[in-house]
Amino acid sequence: MRIHIYDTHVHTTSGQYIHFDVLVSDENIKQVDQYAKQYLASLGVEADNIKQSRCDFCHSEIANPEVQQNIADYGHSIIQL
């Protein structure tokens, strides 16, 4: 499975910096922002706490089995950096 990596940087209003990658297949590219927001919400960071954010396409690669399973189950995979 070929996946696309979106390098995501978030600065919160409290000064916290969060860096993670959102990995998706061709079918889920349009949901990248939604997946990033869901992940941030799971960390307790709501949209109104974000000072600035960037979610930029980085590259494509062949996914390892764990990432493939996450994408099959949830539509995406997150790698905390």
Side-chain angles (χ1 to χ4, degrees), residues 2-67:
R2 188 162 189 78
I3 57 163
H4 308 288
I5 315 298
Y6 286 80
D7 187 35
T8 306
H9 301 263
V10 174
H11 296 272
T12 67
T13 55
S14 65
Q16 184 180 14
Y17 172 71
I18 304 167
H19 183 200
F20 59 97
D21 287 342
V22 180
L23 291 68
V24 295
S25 63
D26 289 334
E27 294 81 22
N28 298 325
I29 288 176
K30 292 182 180 182
Q31 285 85 17
V32 168
D33 287 334
Q34 174 188 340
Y35 295 142
K37 288 176 184 174
Q38 286 174 350
Y39 178 67
L40 290 168
S42 77
L43 298 176
V45 177
E46 298 300 326
D48 60 345
N49 293 332
I50 297 172
K51 188 165 48 175
Q52 73 184 63
S53 66
R54 188 180 88 221
C55 189
D56 294 327
F57 172 72
C58 181
H59 66 280
S60 298
E61 64 183 49
I62 302 301
N64 68 44
E66 180 181 353
V67 169

Side-chain angles (χ1 to χ4, degrees), residues 60-76:
S60 298
E61 64 183 49
I62 302 301
N64 68 44
E66 180 181 353
V67 169
Q68 289 183 34
Q69 189 62 52
N70 285 340
I71 290 173
D73 292 345
Y74 308 110
H76 69 287

